[in-house]
Amino acid sequence: MLPRRAASPPRQRFPSRPQGYVDADEKRATAISGDLRRAHPSAGLRIRPAEWKLLALVVLVALGVRLFRISHPDSVVFDEVHFGKFASKYIKTQYYVDVHPPLAKLLITLVAFVRGFDGEFDFKDIAKVYENTPYTSMRLLPALMGVAVVPLAYLTLRELDCGATTALLGSIFILFENGYITQSRHILLDSPLIFFTALTLFFWVAFSNEDRDRSRAFTEQWWLWLTLTGLSLGAVVSCKWVGLFTIATVGVDTIRQLWRLLGDLRVPPRLFIKHFLARALCLIVVPVFFYMSMFAIHFQILQNSGDGDGFMSSPFQHTLGGRGMEDTFADIALGSEITMRHLNTQGGYLHSHLHSYPAGSAQQQVTLYPHRDENNVWRILNATEEGIAEPDYATAPLTYVKHGMIIRLQHLPTEKRLHSHNIRPPVSDVDFQNEVSGYGFPGFIGDANDNWAVEIEEGDKHDRESSRRLRTLHTVFRLRHTLTGCYLFSHKVKLPEWGFEQQEVTCNTNAVKPNSLWYMETNTHPQLHPGDERVNYELPGFFGKFWELQQVMWTTNAGLTDRHVFDSRPYTWPILRRGINFWVKDHRQIYLLGNPFIWWLSTASVVLYAVVRVVLVLREKRGYQDFNHSRVVKYDSICSLLVIGWALHYFPFFLMQRQLFLHHYFPALYFAILVSCGIFDLVTATLRPQVRLQLAAILAIVAIYNFTHFSPLIYGGQWTRGQCQRAEWLKTWDFSW
Amino acid sequence: MVRKAPRDRIVSNPTVPNPFEDENISLIVGIALTFVAFLLRFYKLNHPDQVVFDEVHFGKFAAYYITREYYFDVHPPLAKMLLGAAGWFVGFDGKFDFEKIGDSYTQHHVPYVGMRALPAILGSLTVPIVYGIMRQTGFPIAIAAFSASLIVFDNAHITQTRLILLDAALVFFMALSLYAYIRFRKLRYSEYTTEWWLWLCSTGFFLACTLGCKMVGLFTFLTIGTAVLVDLWNILDYKKGLSMEQVWRHFFARALGLILLPFIVYLSFFWIHFKILKYSGTGDSFMSPAFQETLHGNELLLNSQEIRYYDTLTIKHRESKVFLHSHLERYPLRYDDGRISSQGQQVTGYPHNDTNNHWQVIPTKALPETGRGRVVRHNDIVQLLHVVTQSNLLTHDVASPLTPTNQEFTTFPRDDHSRYNDTLFQIVITDAHDGQAWKSKSALWTHSEPLPEWAFGQQEINGNKNAQERSATWYVDQIVEDETGEDLRNRTGVVEPKQVKSMSFFRKFGELQLLMLQHNAGLTASHPYASNPINWPFLLNGISFWTSNGEKQQIYLIGNPLGWWICVMGLSVFVGIVGADLMARRRNIKPIQKVIIPELRNRLLNSTGFFVSAWAFHYFPFYLMSRQLFVHHYLPAHLASTLVAGSVLNFVLTESIEYPISVARRGVTHLRPRMYTDFGIKGLAISAAVLVILVISFCFFAPLSYGTPGLSGEEVNRRRIISSWTLHFQSKEIDTTCVHKI
């Protein structure tokens, strides 16, 4: 038998019970009830009047720092190009599509609107000088939200049961964070985003404090904090989708709460379900409702056609002012004069015009054209039986176009017929593509290459006729070229200048189905009279529009994969490897760079917590009783919430392929800074208040020194070349060129 | 946990061994399954006598081992070397190039049946291993046979293992790793015995083999690694009473067996790989010049020349293989997006040979009249003169035509010195030392400050400010002439025959490994049969491997739908049971414990949990990959899911388990009361019934797996039970109805 040794940990770890020691029973009780109140005194907002005065002072300083020369520069900075432009679109009520939800943009617009901005400035390029634009007021909104984060950090830290000194330090860190200042001084969305993130955290911490005492559950206070959390969650996610990470943070913490509640055998299942439903209502339903109502406002404002039309489906487009359509005849027969649209892309109508392909057959071009035009009109001719002269459609009996029928399409203005042959198209020059052209001349009866078989793909469910024969708008069909077997096809490829950058149309022998589907949009026929059945687009309701826009935003967002000169990958953010050049003019520069001291300190704190936590877990496995110590329990609960928040706001970016920027780290940075404050509170917990204050003062002074050192980059101030180069502490900071 | 007396247990009679659970019967069943597996995998192995799907690649690679020509592939070499060995064994001379799917083997006298036999053997042997895993884990014969038959009668496994592909070897070694680890784990009370070490090391060895077949082997490492970590975590527990020294000893033993040993084995595969492939071949151009010079007959080795100033060169971009080109046309003044260009002479990349590709190297320093001083060296600053238009290459702070973030390249008349600074380029030879001469074919150069990068479409050359980019590498293709116009070969005097250079194995290994990873990540082109991982467990996609129009035959990789769906059910039942159990225990209700003997829960969490983790580790990481993925990537995960299906079926059918199954050691373990599975006739009947349906389903889809017999249109339609399967030769109703209506 192997010699067995006793477990190695020393039994006498704590010779005498230190102050604040929780024994096993107490710990178990705490764990079951989730009531840490006994372990450490309750948090909650109990702020002394002196603290309010202090806080007011901090806010005043923050105002000074954030608003200093905010009207400078008087030209467009960085992404003001986009967000300024969106404000002008709102004011002109022209529809646009952006990857971000509308709340922050609506707020900016509101300010601009109140100050009488007419939307005429186009925010075209960075460094374009503003004319007749209340840009200062527009910048004020993000700036004030940036200021508001400072007291929020203070209050949150107080709620987390940290000392006033720590809370003050935290607010000073936020106040003098160069990155936050730079970002909040321009018309950008990140400042509202960070504000709402901070607000959510504050509300959530307040709610958690309330919830810890079972007896206070479902009181008015409890409901208030919970509802406010939900509303503010809705606001975060309505600024940018990154807000989903905030939802995840709150969600994870909610699950932690519920798991603890589930383990409390004194809580009957009914009560548990009540807790569960209350959270589901406030943290899921309320944010979703808030988010959707933002889009309701968005659609309400943007009622007119604009440059975002092309992203949306045709029914959606027809809800926009200036794009409506009159009712059109439903029945399509031989002789109908129709316009025909491609289903899968927003390329538009099957179109032809009096220009020829420069290569290939050199016959007349056939393209997709997005706008209404008489060159989009085609007439359906019969080709089922060879050699029969075209009847006079005004008198001949109506023959509806059915599945499998062979037709020809004649371009009305030029009298050419839709034609395809075994010649490669000029742009998509590959084996399986055939050119499609307009061919023919007056008196020529056409040849077999003009023949197309109608293959009905599906009809509208409410119109049963439409799956048997062609009906305007309701029938989706394919056109098969009878000789070569290829399908009329289009894809998101633009023709070059000779094709007026319209979308390419080909005949594809290997066509993917979605790109070979077509439908008729308008239809007239000499024998149809005003009284005959007419159809129109079924305009989508709010939910249809909402859902469609979400999908468009998602695909657009995923498609943002081009490289940008100043983009960066997530692993570079915590070490502040590189900033972003916002604006350069006349040897002055605005460059987004964090406060290196605060930045590195926060990263170090997160790493420190992770390491210590792992060591503690390993020690526990070896029998050490660290988790019985009330201080360990308290700071572990504070820091774990914040570190989870940091991780959830940071790591998901690694999965994103789209272009990413340093400022995407800002919400995570907020959590990291609070972690560093939590650790400061822990380290100085046993010190005398005076020493603690002195330590905090030293940290604050270093932070402020760093801030002033780099402040010319924030305000676009004067700097000599030498100063500038000396400020480049890291080789990767590229602002001095 | 509170132990209850045996009579409290509801289980009918677990203290008496089941008469069916006999080692002899177990052996017979195992052998029978193996026999059937061999039968099914060797059935008509010679059909089709044509190249099928990826045999294009792997057959070719196997042939390279026989001809000993260097090639490059993203997969590690073990499985391909085995295929090569199989080919060599059956007398393949490597003289067939597997050019495209459908090439005939018989016409070219390729002994392909022998090569296919190797995957078929490995695939068949996977079956007894699966059976063994289940038996070793303590499941009754019927359950073990059930799991094994999910593999035996699986169309996807059969299709994949009958062809010259890597997955048979991969799945085989993966299953062996799991088996070896389970054997090792069962010996946990006999630590440091010879047997213990043996199974530990064989786990490591098989892991290395798995990784040696495909990078997917890393997931097997993760599976075993996680299990080992959990094991170590329990060893660390102070309640176990082990001292820290003992914990460390356990840790180092495992590190030795499961990290160091596999690493050495893995390296040895590459060592053999390099030893075999010593002649220049298709893979040369992927490698660095230093590597290429280690290969016999490499062009670089034979023909490279030093470049001297005033030589006229053609310069090729390494990745896109286009020449640096310029011609008299100018950039348009204004681009479509409104940006303005310099309207300078165009500099483009051009794929064909042309005098407009000629550039002359102009020095920027004083040169000696003759001798070695005229050789262009690393870090030299030069100008490049476009010979036809007599203008110097220049780049400046104007955005390039298509990529506004990069600089434009143009040329500038050679006599005009006003822009001199913009025409200076620095020669940076990749992985070179100072003073190394610039050689044609070998030297790669990049540009000092703004630097040419091939980007976007076919025509643009632009300057990227980030000089580290790999895509900024160019090489001199040819020295056209030197200033005197002499015959180039004579200028260095007598050219001595060049020796093959050597390079340390570790540098070669490092270079190849890095390239493999980069190319693997770069396989993002879309493929018609590539599919998303979400489709795999439900079998929503297959791959068309091969078709023959004449007899309407086709091979379509698709699993046995019934088998796969049983596996998915098994997984979801497991998740459901464990989830419900966790929730209930939180409320102090112990559903599993209360009804059933206490060890059952541990068995469910540990054994089945291990199988589920194997499935999860072999499946979920694919979601993170952006390269092209195919349904056959799911085969290792499918194997794990058959194990889960078996053990979940066992859990559902009976409440008793075989216990204890670990190897006891006198004096160390307390001997626990022995228990036996009471499986009953009911369980046996259910397993048998499932088996019968499984076989029927297999036979129904078999024509798609074996590629014979051919199927008529209606028959194909009937087999297309899921509309997303893209089978060939379906009868089209549309066309016929069309005609009738007209």
Side-chain angles (χ1 to χ4, degrees):
Chain A
M1 177 176 172
L2 282 173
R4 298 208 123 195
R5 283 182 44 178
S8 54
R11 294 281 174 217
Q12 288 292 315
R13 192 63 195 157
F14 303 109
S16 60
R17 267 176 67 131
Q19 201 191 357
Y21 177 82
V22 200
D23 71 16
D25 283 345
E26 259 178 283
K27 194 186 165 203
R28 204 170 302 123
T30 317
I32 288 171
S33 66
D35 181 5
L36 284 167
R37 191 170 282 279
R38 247 181 303 171
H40 58 94
S42 151
L45 271 179
R46 268 180 283 141
I47 292 179
R48 293 185 297 271
E51 281 184 69
W52 286 116
K53 285 179 197 156
L54 189 66
L55 198 53
L57 186 69
V58 172
V59 170
L60 275 181
V61 177
L63 278 171
V65 169
R66 296 275 196 290
L67 303 185
F68 177 69
R69 287 195 196 154
I70 195 164
S71 56
H72 172 84
D74 60 352
S75 54
V76 179
V77 175
F78 196 55
D79 274 354
E80 287 184 352
V81 169
H82 302 296
F83 304 121
K85 186 165 24 181
F86 295 142
S88 84
K89 301 260 162 166
Y90 274 122
I91 286 171
K92 293 200 276 189
T93 70
Q94 287 173 347
Y95 190 78
Y96 73 89
V97 168
D98 179 34
V99 295
H100 300 300
L103 174 63
K105 288 172 291 187
L106 284 171
L107 290 175
I108 291 168
T109 309
L110 183 68
V111 176
F113 180 71
V114 168
R115 287 297 316 277
F117 178 42
D118 55 1
E120 287 307 319
F121 187 73
D122 63 356
F123 298 90
K124 194 156 186 298
D125 289 304
I126 294 178
K128 181 169 181 178
V129 177
Y130 281 116
E131 296 152 6
N132 298 327
T133 310
Y135 69 96
T136 315
S137 315
M138 289 164 80
R139 282 179 187 167
L140 264 179
L141 178 96
L144 290 177
M145 287 187 146
V147 170
V149 176
V150 174
L152 270 179
Y154 186 94
L155 296 175
T156 309
L157 281 168
R158 289 295 284 150
E159 280 277 18
L160 283 170
D161 198 20
C162 289
T165 317
T166 311
L168 181 66
L169 183 69
S171 58
I172 286 177
F173 278 171
I174 303 289
L175 204 175
F176 290 106
E177 215 301 305
N178 300 37
Y180 284 165
I181 302 173
T182 316
Q183 195 76 9
S184 66
R185 284 167 51 85
H186 303 289
I187 309 172
L188 301 172
L189 307 187
D190 297 82
S191 191
L193 176 78
I194 297 163
F195 168 74
F196 286 120
T197 308
L199 193 67
T200 310
L201 182 67
F202 172 67
F203 287 148
W204 179 246
V205 171
F207 167 75
S208 305
N209 285 337
E210 206 68 33
D211 186 59
R212 209 159 279 154
D213 188 350
R214 292 269 174 279
S215 64
R216 276 158 66 188
F218 306 110
T219 57
E220 260 178 43
Q221 281 274 312
W222 188 92
W223 277 111
L224 178 72
W225 289 126
L226 188 58
T227 317
L228 284 176
T229 311
L231 283 174
S232 134
L233 274 179
V236 190
V237 81
S238 309
C239 286
K240 273 191 172 189
W241 274 355
V242 183
L244 286 173
F245 302 154
T246 315
I247 293 188
T249 309
V250 172
V252 166
D253 211 42
T254 311
I255 290 171
R256 268 207 322 192
Q257 278 180 0
L258 287 175
W259 187 245
R260 221 183 288 139
L261 204 63
L262 189 66
D264 184 351
L265 295 181
R266 292 171 305 178
V267 176
R270 278 177 91 76
L271 186 62
F272 177 79
I273 288 171
K274 206 174 154 194
H275 269 281
F276 177 81
L277 289 180
R279 284 168 172 81
L281 175 72
C282 291
L283 302 180
I284 298 174
V285 177
V286 168
V288 168
F289 185 76
F290 188 97
Y291 182 74
M292 290 176 77
S293 53
M294 285 304 120
F295 277 91
I297 298 174
H298 177 81
F299 291 133
Q300 209 59 47
I301 295 178
L302 300 178
Q303 292 206 335
N304 288 309
S305 149
D307 57 9
D309 294 5
F311 291 91
M312 313 311 293
S313 69
S314 339
F316 190 108
Q317 289 184 16
H318 283 84
T319 64
L320 297 171
R323 297 208 63 127
M325 180 182 98
E326 280 177 23
D327 288 358
T328 183
F329 291 110
D331 291 317
I332 295 174
L334 294 177
S336 276
E337 288 163 15
I338 50 100
T339 59
M340 176 169 149
R341 276 184 80 97
H342 191 234
L343 185 71
N344 198 36
T345 63
Q346 293 309 317
Y349 302 91
L350 188 70
H351 179 95
S352 186
H353 41 223
L354 265 178
H355 296 270
S356 308
Y357 287 116
S361 65
Q363 292 168 4
Q364 184 169 310
Q365 295 171 17
V366 173
T367 63
L368 284 192
Y369 180 63
H371 306 291
R372 280 183 207 147
D373 184 82
E374 63 173 10
N375 271 331
N376 301 338
V377 183
W378 302 78
R379 180 188 283 134
I380 301 176
L381 305 177
N382 189 6
T384 309
E385 286 155 74
E386 285 287 327
I388 292 178
E390 288 297 336
D392 181 7
Y393 291 109
T395 54
L398 270 185
T399 319
Y400 294 134
V401 181
K402 297 204 182 75
H403 180 81
M405 220 157 154
I406 296 171
I407 58 162
R408 288 178 183 176
L409 286 175
Q410 187 175 35
H411 188 233
L412 222 51
T414 60
E415 297 206 341
K416 301 272 195 292
R417 292 186 189 84
L418 188 73
H419 184 92
S420 176
H421 38 219
N422 195 10
I423 293 176
R424 302 289 83 77
V427 174
S428 298
D429 185 6
V430 281
D431 280 353
F432 51 85
Q433 298 272 25
N434 287 344
E435 185 189 83
V436 170
S437 61
Y439 179 63
F441 40 88
F444 177 61
I445 57 159
D447 62 25
N449 269 331
D450 300 343
N451 292 354
W452 301 85
V454 176
E455 291 184 3
I456 290 179
E457 185 60 30
E458 61 177 350
D460 190 271
K461 283 187 197 71
H462 306 294
D463 181 7
R464 297 190 52 199
E465 252 332 82
S466 68
S467 42
R468 264 169 257 143
R469 57 186 178 88
L470 280 192
R471 301 259 288 174
T472 317
L473 291 173
H474 291 171
T475 311
V476 173
F477 62 94
R478 309 213 277 174
L479 280 183
R480 182 166 51 84
H481 191 241
T482 49
L483 275 194
T484 53
C486 58
Y487 287 94
L488 191 68
F489 176 90
S490 182
H491 50 172
K492 284 193 174 165
V493 171
K494 293 259 178 277
L495 294 175
E497 221 166 273
W498 51 257
F500 308 98
E501 308 202 332
Q502 294 167 9
Q503 191 165 310
E504 184 186 28
V505 174
T506 61
C507 191
N508 191 333
T509 48
N510 215 347
V512 287
K513 200 179 249 177
N515 274 343
S516 55
L517 295 178
W518 303 81
Y519 67 93
M520 302 294 185
E521 189 179 275
T522 59
N523 167 32
T524 53
H525 192 277
Q527 289 190 45
L528 291 174
H529 305 293
D532 289 330
E533 187 188 352
R534 286 165 182 264
V535 288
N536 204 336
Y537 280 107
E538 266 183 62
L539 297 186
F542 169 71
F543 289 101
K545 282 162 74 174
F546 171 77
W547 187 239
E548 186 184 333
L549 182 55
Q550 299 303 309
Q551 286 169 327
V552 168
M553 284 162 67
W554 175 262
T555 45
T556 318
N557 200 12
L560 285 179
T561 48
D562 290 352
R563 295 293 302 275
H564 184 278
V565 197
F566 282 93
D567 68 358
S568 52
R569 290 310 300 172
Y571 68 88
T572 62
W573 299 339
I575 51 174
L576 192 59
R577 189 160 170 272
R578 190 177 178 218
I580 304 173
N581 187 19
F582 267 26
W583 176 87
V584 184
K585 205 175 189 183
D586 308 332
H587 302 292
R588 289 169 179 241
Q589 186 178 22
I590 294 177
Y591 185 90
L592 179 79
L593 189 73
N595 183 325
F597 171 69
I598 298 172
W599 205 284
W600 291 332
L601 184 72
S602 68
T603 306
S605 310
V606 171
V607 173
L608 182 72
Y609 171 75
V611 171
V612 169
R613 181 72 216 244
V614 168
V615 170
L616 284 181
V617 170
L618 285 173
R619 273 168 62 89
E620 195 194 21
K621 202 71 188 165
R622 294 303 296 171
Y624 296 90
Q625 315 263 308
D626 303 313
F627 281 102
N628 285 353
H629 199 281
S630 70
R631 194 179 301 148
V632 174
V633 175
K634 170 184 165 184
Y635 285 99
D636 183 53
S637 71
I638 295 176
C639 292
S640 63
L641 170 66
L642 295 172
V643 168
I644 287 173
W646 172 83
L648 286 175
H649 281 84
Y650 175 51
F651 289 115
F653 283 108
F654 281 95
L655 299 179
M656 292 189 198
Q657 305 295 322
R658 62 161 280 185
Q659 49 171 244
L660 295 171
F661 295 96
L662 181 69
H663 57 248
H664 287 132
Y665 184 66
F666 280 0
L669 180 66
Y670 181 74
F671 286 92
I673 290 176
L674 294 192
V675 173
S676 67
C677 296
I679 288 180
F680 173 81
D681 203 58
L682 166 67
V683 172
T684 59
T686 52
L687 300 179
R688 276 183 294 127
Q690 194 137 30
V691 182
R692 195 182 213 194
L693 199 60
Q694 284 161 357
L695 277 177
I698 292 171
L699 290 176
I701 286 168
V702 177
I704 294 170
Y705 167 75
N706 270 271
F707 158 73
T708 45
H709 192 80
F710 293 100
S711 59
L713 290 176
I714 303 176
Y715 301 113
Q718 294 277 7
W719 231 355
T720 65
R721 185 162 201 87
Q723 271 174 324
C724 179
Q725 275 163 356
R726 265 196 305 283
E728 270 190 343
W729 293 355
L730 292 187
K731 267 186 292 183
T732 47
W733 293 356
D734 43 2
F735 45 79
S736 72
W737 44 272
Chain B
M1 75 185 68
V2 184
R3 286 194 143 233
K4 293 179 182 164
R7 66 167 182 281
D8 286 341
R9 294 179 182 152
I10 297 169
V11 179
S12 53
N13 200 357
T15 47
V16 181
N18 186 327
F20 296 114
E21 297 293 311
D22 180 80
E23 277 309 308
N24 289 328
I25 297 179
S26 173
L27 197 66
I28 291 168
V29 171
I31 290 173
L33 281 168
T34 317
F35 180 73
V36 176
F38 267 96
L39 211 65
L40 292 179
R41 277 149 183 83
F42 276 85
Y43 174 72
K44 290 195 180 169
L45 191 60
N46 59 345
H47 179 84
D49 62 344
Q50 295 179 0
V51 179
V52 177
F53 197 56
D54 274 355
E55 287 187 345
V56 170
H57 304 296
F58 302 121
K60 185 161 49 190
F61 295 146
Y64 285 140
Y65 281 109
I66 292 166
T67 57
R68 310 193 66 176
E69 288 171 32
Y70 190 79
Y71 72 90
F72 174 78
D73 180 34
V74 295
H75 300 298
L78 176 64
K80 289 171 294 185
M81 287 198 296
L82 289 177
L83 290 172
W88 171 80
F89 186 78
V90 294
F92 178 38
D93 57 2
K95 296 267 169 3
F96 179 64
D97 55 4
F98 297 86
E99 200 173 320
K100 59 179 194 294
I101 296 176
D103 282 358
S104 168
Y105 285 128
T106 33
Q107 278 172 22
H108 298 89
H109 308 293
V110 181
Y112 67 103
V113 179
M115 292 172 78
R116 280 182 189 167
L118 177 85
I121 292 171
L122 294 180
S124 311
L125 289 180
T126 309
V127 171
I129 296 171
V130 169
Y131 183 73
I133 289 177
M134 294 303 281
R135 288 294 291 157
Q136 290 293 336
T137 319
F139 290 105
I141 295 173
I143 291 296
F146 171 76
S147 283
S149 14
L150 284 174
I151 303 279
V152 175
F153 297 106
D154 187 74
N155 303 58
H157 278 276
I158 289 179
T159 313
Q160 196 74 15
T161 55
R162 291 174 78 254
L163 302 169
I164 308 173
L165 302 173
L166 309 185
D167 299 77
L170 174 80
V171 173
F172 172 74
F173 285 120
M174 176 254 179
L176 257 185
S177 312
L178 297 186
Y179 179 76
Y181 181 72
I182 288 169
R183 291 301 298 264
F184 165 72
R185 179 88 180 110
K186 283 177 69 174
L187 288 165
R188 65 182 175 282
Y189 298 116
S190 331
E191 58 222 22
Y192 309 120
T193 56
T194 321
E195 226 185 332
W196 187 87
W197 277 111
L198 186 74
W199 284 114
L200 175 62
C201 291
S202 35
T203 312
F205 179 77
F206 293 133
L207 278 175
C209 292
T210 320
L211 188 62
C213 293
K214 272 190 172 186
M215 286 296 181
V216 181
L218 274 180
F219 303 153
T220 318
F221 260 97
L222 279 180
T223 311
I224 306 282
T226 313
V228 167
L229 280 184
V230 171
D231 188 19
L232 282 174
W233 183 243
N234 292 330
I235 287 174
L236 187 68
D237 194 343
Y238 75 107
K239 293 187 209 107
K240 270 235 149 122
L242 295 184
S243 69
M244 264 331 271
E245 292 84 68
Q246 286 169 310
V247 172
W248 280 120
R249 205 170 149 208
H250 271 288
F251 174 79
F252 283 120
R254 283 163 177 78
L256 186 74
L258 300 177
I259 299 175
L260 190 65
L261 175 83
F263 184 63
I264 293 170
V265 175
Y266 183 67
L267 281 186
S268 68
F269 298 146
F270 278 88
W271 189 79
I272 299 171
H273 175 81
F274 291 136
K275 277 283 168 238
I276 296 180
L277 304 177
K278 62 179 194 176
Y279 296 107
S280 158
T282 54
D284 288 14
S285 56
F286 290 92
M287 313 309 292
S288 71
F291 190 106
Q292 292 188 31
E293 289 181 12
T294 65
L295 297 167
H296 291 274
N298 180 273
E299 200 185 353
L300 188 60
L301 191 66
L302 301 179
N303 298 333
S304 74
Q305 292 253 12
E306 285 173 351
I307 291 166
R308 299 183 187 182
Y309 281 108
Y310 297 112
D311 280 356
T312 302
L313 317 167
T314 55
I315 298 170
K316 244 187 182 175
H317 184 246
R318 188 180 179 188
E319 280 181 11
S320 52
K321 305 270 187 277
V322 293
F323 291 103
L324 184 65
H325 179 96
S326 182
H327 41 230
L328 269 175
E329 278 75 16
R330 298 192 165 259
Y331 289 116
L333 178 61
R334 181 181 282 275
Y335 297 124
D336 302 337
D337 53 1
R339 285 182 299 111
I340 305 287
S341 83
S342 65
Q343 236 191 336
Q345 182 172 320
Q346 288 178 17
V347 174
T348 61
Y350 186 64
H352 308 294
N353 220 333
D354 182 339
T355 50
N356 271 332
N357 301 337
H358 292 179
W359 300 85
Q360 194 175 17
V361 192
I362 308 293
T364 56
K365 59 179 181 190
L367 287 183
E369 281 296 302
T370 54
R372 305 288 300 158
R374 299 178 70 88
V375 174
V376 184
R377 291 177 190 280
H378 183 50
N379 281 340
D380 276 4
I381 310 276
V382 302
Q383 287 182 308
L384 285 174
L385 177 74
H386 188 238
V387 179
V388 176
T389 60
Q390 287 293 306
S391 52
N392 283 325
L393 186 68
L394 168 142
T395 183
H396 49 179
D397 201 358
V398 173
S400 81
L402 299 176
T403 324
T405 53
N406 290 357
Q407 291 195 354
E408 178 189 274
F409 266 78
T410 178
T411 62
F412 210 70
R414 70 179 305 188
D415 310 323
D416 190 341
H417 291 285
S418 60
R419 303 284 298 277
Y420 181 72
N421 279 338
D422 285 335
T423 62
L424 298 185
F425 291 84
Q426 186 177 26
I427 306 295
V428 181
I429 300 170
T430 52
D431 57 15
H433 51 81
D434 271 359
Q436 180 163 335
W438 194 23
K439 292 178 178 176
S440 71
K441 300 275 183 197
S442 78
L444 308 158
W445 64 281
T446 57
H447 184 284
S448 68
E449 26 170 86
L451 170 152
E453 184 206 35
W454 175 247
F456 292 98
Q458 291 287 311
Q459 293 287 338
E460 193 192 20
I461 299 288
N462 60 43
N464 188 331
K465 286 168 187 142
N466 181 1
Q468 310 303 326
E469 292 254 3
R470 287 192 315 117
S471 54
T473 312
W474 300 72
Y475 65 90
V476 173
D477 185 61
Q478 196 189 358
I479 303 178
V480 181
E481 59 181 345
D482 69 2
E483 49 180 328
T484 56
E486 285 170 17
D487 186 3
L488 291 170
R489 259 154 293 177
N490 295 337
R491 69 178 185 183
T492 35
V494 190
V495 182
E496 68 262 43
K498 291 188 184 161
Q499 289 295 312
V500 176
K501 304 221 173 104
S502 72
M503 184 176 174
S504 94
F505 165 70
F506 288 98
R507 283 188 56 197
K508 279 164 118 177
F509 170 75
E511 182 180 332
L512 179 57
Q513 191 68 46
L514 203 67
L515 273 175
M516 280 161 56
L517 291 176
Q518 284 164 354
H519 277 260
N520 210 354
L523 287 177
T524 50
S526 73
H527 184 282
Y529 293 104
S531 54
N532 193 303
I534 190 74
N535 300 323
W536 298 344
F538 310 101
L539 207 60
L540 299 183
N541 285 105
I543 304 174
S544 173
F545 268 19
W546 172 84
T547 53
S548 155
N549 287 323
E551 293 120 283
K552 298 220 165 190
Q553 292 176 337
Q554 61 178 319
I555 296 182
Y556 191 77
L557 178 78
I558 200 75
N560 186 338
L562 203 76
W564 286 47
W565 294 334
I566 287 176
C567 292
V568 175
M569 270 193 289
L571 286 163
S572 36
V573 168
F574 175 82
V575 172
I577 292 174
V578 170
D581 178 59
L582 280 180
M583 299 282 262
R585 287 172 77 85
R586 196 74 189 151
R587 299 300 296 178
N588 213 15
I589 307 165
K590 295 181 175 153
I592 297 184
Q593 230 87 336
K594 241 184 196 160
V595 189
I596 320 162
I597 49 177
E599 290 78 10
L600 183 59
R601 181 165 187 271
N602 289 343
R603 181 63 57 82
L604 183 73
L605 290 184
N606 294 340
S607 301
T608 317
F610 175 64
F611 299 149
V612 171
S613 82
W615 172 77
F617 278 123
H618 285 87
Y619 177 49
F620 289 114
F622 284 108
Y623 283 94
L624 301 181
M625 293 188 194
S626 40
R627 61 161 280 182
Q628 47 174 247
L629 296 170
F630 298 97
V631 69
H632 59 246
H633 289 139
Y634 185 68
L635 290 183
H638 174 257
L639 184 130
S641 70
T642 62
L643 303 175
V644 178
S647 44
V648 167
L649 179 68
N650 184 57
F651 182 85
V652 173
L653 289 180
T654 170
E655 292 158 346
S656 55
I657 52 166
E658 192 87 6
Y659 182 83
I661 53 160
S662 289
V663 180
R665 190 162 167 223
R666 193 175 287 276
V668 178
T669 28
H670 333 265
L671 285 175
R672 305 253 164 78
R674 190 154 179 86
M675 276 180 280
Y676 303 93
T677 321
D678 186 24
F679 196 55
I681 293 296
K682 185 185 72 178
L684 217 56
I686 291 178
S687 320
V690 176
L691 186 67
V692 169
I693 309 174
L694 207 61
V695 174
I696 293 172
S697 157
F698 163 74
C699 292
F700 182 63
F701 292 103
L704 300 176
S705 310
Y706 292 102
T708 176
L711 297 172
S712 72
E714 284 77 42
E715 283 172 320
V716 171
N717 279 0
R718 227 177 301 138
R719 278 165 181 77
R720 186 167 162 258
I721 54 172
I722 293 179
S723 60
S724 52
W725 293 4
T726 45
L727 296 177
H728 289 268
F729 314 123
Q730 299 168 38
S731 64
K732 290 181 182 163
E733 296 121 37
I734 286 180
D735 291 359
T736 52
T737 50
C738 267
V739 176
H740 291 305
K741 271 185 186 169
I742 297 164

